[in-house]
Amino acid sequence: MKFFENMAKRIFNQEGIPILEGHVAYSSEEAMSISSEMGVPVVIKAQVLTGGRGKAGGVKFADNPGEALKVADEILGMEIKDEKVKHLLVEKKAEIFNEYFVTVSVDRGARKPVILASKEGGVEIENLAKTNPEKIIKYYPNPLIEFLPYEAREIARRMGVESELISQMGDIIWKLYKVFEKYDADTAEINPLVLTPDGLIAADAKLVVENDSLFRHQDLVKTLHYKEKAVDFVQLDGDIAVIGNGAGLTLTAMDMIKLNGGEPATFLDIGGGASEQIINQALNIVLNYDPVKVVFLNVLGGITKADDVARGVVKALDQTNRKVHIVIRLTGTNEKEGQKILEDAGIPFETSMEKAAKIAVDLCNQLKTEGD
Ligand code: GDP
Ligand code: MN
């Protein structure tokens, strides 16, 4: 599961990695008032799950609150790689002397964690990997023993950072590795890690937690208040997770579950025009929410496209090892394409909401009887 930059930064910061002062905004007016309260200049950043925002125009600066309003408005109207920008991170703009790059991820080939670091971070890191791979330091910590601070300092030394920065750089690399371990991450990344007059600060943060370990991080899943995410999520007392596109449709789906004698475990609205990634994230949330026995996904495509939903479902189910009981109602825009994707993946679906709700409740009752 991918986390938005804002959430990833909060988690990194809890482990002692410095971040810039900043707040989340859901409207341009809010971005404006944050920047006047916090002080200018500010950097305004699209909160989307895809990377490369800088290059796509999703990271902009403002020198006064009026400019913040204008810039925030521009970014909120954007779509970055099919993902609608729904919220922003407004941060104090840092004066940057240098941009570094540090990431901890899993080297699937070597079947070990790997730390990659470079003195030349920033938005061009992919190009650097192609043109000057020698400038990226690669280090394999032994996953069976503790990663020690001196190893992290050794990485900093090999990066070629100034001697007075080695201890600070080492400390951040060490802490980033701790985050990676603690949260069973696939990736914990800071790009850029910036050198400012106040020392090294994480100017960007990426955290991807391994889906199959989310059950160990219920706290993390639970603290994802809806405003931090692209979906509206309310936890309820039952065991049937209800997901729909649009609040009205989701509420109707909950009523349908109730009408058939079932109890909803969630109200989860993926909103209009939800992308494949959002569907994937929504499913990940409910699949990892313990009380859920059955997932009822009710989609009547309008702006939301049925084929995007279908692709998101296939992807989420591919990624989980859990046995998932999911009942899908899929109709609306691009329904033929969507239904074909599900068919090809061997995932059954319904077109009637009433019928699907009844199937979901029956299935849940059957599972409970089997469980007793
Ligand atoms: P990404 O393109 O999605 O990775 O977005 P980033 O958060 O990494 O931002 C892209 C670029 O914007 C960074 O590499 C920086 O050059 C620049 N940037 C981001 N935050 C700041 C800041 O506080 N001050 C300055 N001067 N530049 C920033
Ligand atoms: Mn970045």
Side-chain angles (χ1 to χ4, degrees):
M1 176 148 106
K2 275 191 193 171
F3 290 86
F4 285 112
E5 174 192 8
N6 175 57
M7 181 78 181
K9 277 186 169 164
R10 288 207 332 236
I11 293 168
F12 287 12
N13 192 238
Q14 275 164 17
E15 303 303 312
I17 295 173
I19 57 171
L20 294 162
E21 182 187 348
H23 300 278
V24 174
Y26 301 90
S27 68
S28 46
E29 291 78 16
E30 220 177 329
M32 178 174 71
S33 66
I34 291 169
S35 52
S36 64
E37 271 163 41
M38 201 171 62
V40 286
V42 292
V43 50
I44 300 184
K45 308 170 89 175
Q47 295 300 286
V48 285
L49 295 170
T50 45
R53 297 164 306 168
K55 283 190 172 173
V59 177
K60 290 192 161 88
F61 306 107
D63 288 328
N64 54 64
E67 200 182 348
L69 178 81
K70 185 176 145 276
V71 163
D73 205 42
E74 279 166 27
I75 301 180
L76 279 170
M78 287 175 60
E79 235 178 66
I80 300 178
K81 292 183 195 154
D82 288 340
E83 209 181 324
K84 262 207 177 131
V85 181
K86 291 187 174 166
H87 61 303
L88 307 166
L89 178 60
V90 183
E91 285 187 329
K92 269 246 174 79
K93 183 181 173 185
E95 188 191 337
I96 297 180
F97 302 135
N98 200 6
E99 302 197 357
Y100 304 91
F101 161 80
V102 187
T103 186
V104 188
S105 65
V106 179
D107 183 332
R108 306 264 165 209
R111 289 186 275 163
K112 302 189 238 206
V114 62
I115 298 174
L116 300 174
S118 176
K119 209 167 88 166
E120 295 178 28
V123 295
E124 296 297 339
I125 195 71
E126 272 95 9
N127 289 338
L128 186 72
K130 280 182 208 132
T131 57
N132 296 80
E134 77 286 352
K135 287 190 175 164
I136 299 177
I137 304 306
K138 201 173 192 182
Y139 183 84
Y140 289 99
N142 183 338
L144 302 178
I145 57 174
E146 200 186 337
F147 178 61
L148 294 170
Y150 85 86
E151 297 179 80
R153 286 196 298 274
E154 179 54 29
I155 296 170
R157 223 170 268 124
R158 283 174 48 198
M159 284 166 78
V161 303
E162 300 73 1
S163 54
E164 61 272 21
L165 264 187
I166 286 176
S167 123
Q168 218 186 115
M169 180 65 80
D171 185 53
I172 290 177
I173 295 173
W174 186 75
K175 284 170 175 162
L176 190 65
Y177 191 81
K178 290 286 143 191
V179 171
F180 173 86
E181 275 190 322
K182 180 170 171 185
Y183 290 98
D184 297 309
D186 272 337
T187 304
E189 179 176 294
I190 307 175
N191 186 35
L193 174 63
V194 297
L195 181 59
T196 73
D198 299 323
L200 289 169
I201 299 178
D204 190 8
K206 178 176 173 185
L207 180 67
V208 185
V209 172
E210 169 61 45
N211 284 338
D212 289 326
S213 73
L214 279 173
F215 74 96
R216 289 213 289 237
H217 303 287
Q218 289 283 307
D219 48 335
L220 206 61
V221 178
K222 279 186 191 151
T223 54
L224 282 173
H225 297 302
Y226 95 86
K227 286 205 157 183
E228 302 287 329
K229 305 182 281 97
V231 296
D232 274 338
F233 175 46
V234 181
Q235 291 174 40
L236 303 162
D237 295 332
D239 40 24
I240 302 177
V242 177
I243 307 177
N245 60 316
L249 190 66
T250 312
L251 285 171
T252 311
M254 284 173 54
D255 281 346
M256 284 289 159
I257 293 293
K258 285 266 202 189
L259 204 63
N260 284 284
E263 284 297 333
T266 69
F267 164 94
L268 201 157
D269 171 15
I270 52 175
S275 67
E276 183 187 325
Q277 264 202 353
I278 300 294
I279 312 280
N280 192 14
Q281 198 196 25
L283 279 173
N284 278 329
I285 291 170
V286 301
L287 294 181
N288 290 288
Y289 181 43
D290 271 347
V292 172
K293 287 200 161 59
V294 173
V295 179
F296 177 33
L297 175 63
N298 183 30
V299 172
L300 167 58
I303 308 170
T304 306
K305 298 189 188 75
D307 52 335
D308 285 342
V309 172
R311 272 187 288 271
V313 169
V314 172
K315 201 162 160 191
L317 295 185
D318 259 2
Q319 284 173 359
T320 183
N321 289 331
R322 278 186 55 173
K323 188 161 164 41
V324 181
H325 299 280
I326 181 167
V327 181
I328 304 170
R329 180 268 183 132
L330 187 65
T331 52
T333 313
N334 293 357
E335 61 182 26
K336 288 281 163 297
E337 292 86 342
Q339 291 166 356
K340 172 138 197 339
I341 292 168
L342 291 182
E343 252 160 33
D344 290 349
I347 303 168
F349 62 88
E350 298 296 326
T351 52
S352 145
M353 172 170 70
E354 290 79 357
K355 196 168 160 204
K358 183 168 188 320
I359 294 174
V361 174
D362 289 348
L363 180 59
C364 189
N365 288 338
Q366 189 191 327
L367 289 168
K368 280 194 275 198
T369 323
E370 283 168 8
D372 288 341

